[in-house]
Amino acid sequence: MDENNCMVDIARFFLDFTVDESCGKCPPCRIGTKRMLEILNKITSGKGEEGDVEKLIELGNNIKVSSLCGLGQTAPNPVLSTIKYFRDEYDAHIRDKKCPAGVCSELLQYTIDEVLCKACGLCKKVCPTDAISGERKVPHVIDQNKCIKCGACMEKCPFNAITKG
Ligand code: SF4
Ligand code: SF4
Ligand code: SF4
């Protein structure tokens, strides 16, 4: 793992797995992990609010001590340890609505650098939502309201004029 991995997304990935694996016998694991996953989904989709991290910590610690078996007792660990060591990433998602690693697609924005753009039109051709406009010899522009953040334009641009962030 490196700076291209989003720690909030990693925590969400592991919790998603344990939510699926929970047998459902005890409520802390059956219900608590689902509530934690809902909060993580909220944060990674840009709808995180102040206090969400504190709720995750409180829920996680309660689930750890009150679950019946090892699955529930360890399920919150990826969330709690990423909060402990990468709290700044949680804050960036919640306060700045940014994913520093550029992973959480709903928080990304694709933009065209008007200096680098050679107006070749390739990005416009591959965009599935007609979000890119521009004429010959005129730098192209992305309409953020139409962009579904698929990344096809960035892959296609031969001049590295498109960035995500
Ligand atoms: S902690 Fe264990 S027993 Fe309780 S719901 Fe989870 S998997 Fe089942
Ligand atoms: S990311 Fe996808 S939808 Fe958005 S402008 Fe590029 S090709 Fe179009
Ligand atoms: S593919 Fe790149 S250079 Fe060509 S129009 Fe799009 S942004 Fe500009």
Side-chain angles (χ1 to χ4, degrees):
M1 288 199 209
D2 57 22
E3 66 277 7
N4 294 317
N5 293 103
C6 168
M7 286 300 127
V8 187
D9 185 60
I10 294 284
R12 195 190 56 75
F13 171 82
F14 281 108
L15 198 66
D16 191 41
F17 171 78
T18 43
V19 164
D20 272 353
E21 292 300 309
S22 172
C23 79
K25 188 172 176 182
C26 64
C29 172
R30 185 181 71 241
I31 302 168
T33 53
K34 278 202 185 78
R35 297 292 88 86
M36 287 183 81
L37 186 59
E38 284 168 6
I39 296 171
L40 287 175
N41 282 332
K42 211 174 88 174
I43 295 172
T44 52
S45 64
K47 300 184 187 89
E49 298 166 282
E50 290 294 334
D52 280 348
V53 173
E54 287 68 28
K55 271 187 216 159
L56 284 171
I57 295 171
E58 190 184 352
L59 264 170
N61 285 329
N62 284 333
I63 293 166
K64 274 167 72 82
V65 295
S66 52
S67 291
L68 278 179
C69 84
L71 190 136
Q73 288 157 9
T74 55
N77 285 350
V79 183
L80 296 174
S81 53
T82 50
I83 290 173
K84 184 173 174 189
Y85 295 109
F86 301 98
R87 173 73 190 245
D88 55 321
E89 291 200 27
Y90 281 84
D91 291 340
H93 284 72
I94 294 169
R95 289 181 196 155
D96 310 329
K97 307 298 175 204
K98 297 249 180 231
C99 174
V103 170
C104 298
S105 62
E106 288 177 70
L107 297 174
L108 295 182
Q109 191 163 305
Y110 286 83
T111 45
I112 296 175
D113 184 320
E114 59 177 37
V115 177
L116 294 177
C117 177
K118 303 286 183 254
C120 68
L122 285 176
C123 56
K124 201 171 153 184
K125 281 190 193 140
V126 295
C127 178
T129 59
D130 291 329
I132 302 177
S133 57
E135 304 301 324
R136 281 188 63 213
K137 298 187 179 171
V138 178
H140 286 33
V141 177
I142 296 174
D143 180 342
Q144 299 301 330
N145 293 323
K146 287 187 183 171
C147 176
I148 56 166
K149 289 135 185 175
C150 69
C153 55
M154 193 174 158
E155 255 176 55
K156 200 75 184 173
C157 178
F159 302 100
N160 293 326
I162 304 179
T163 51
K164 67 173 178 178

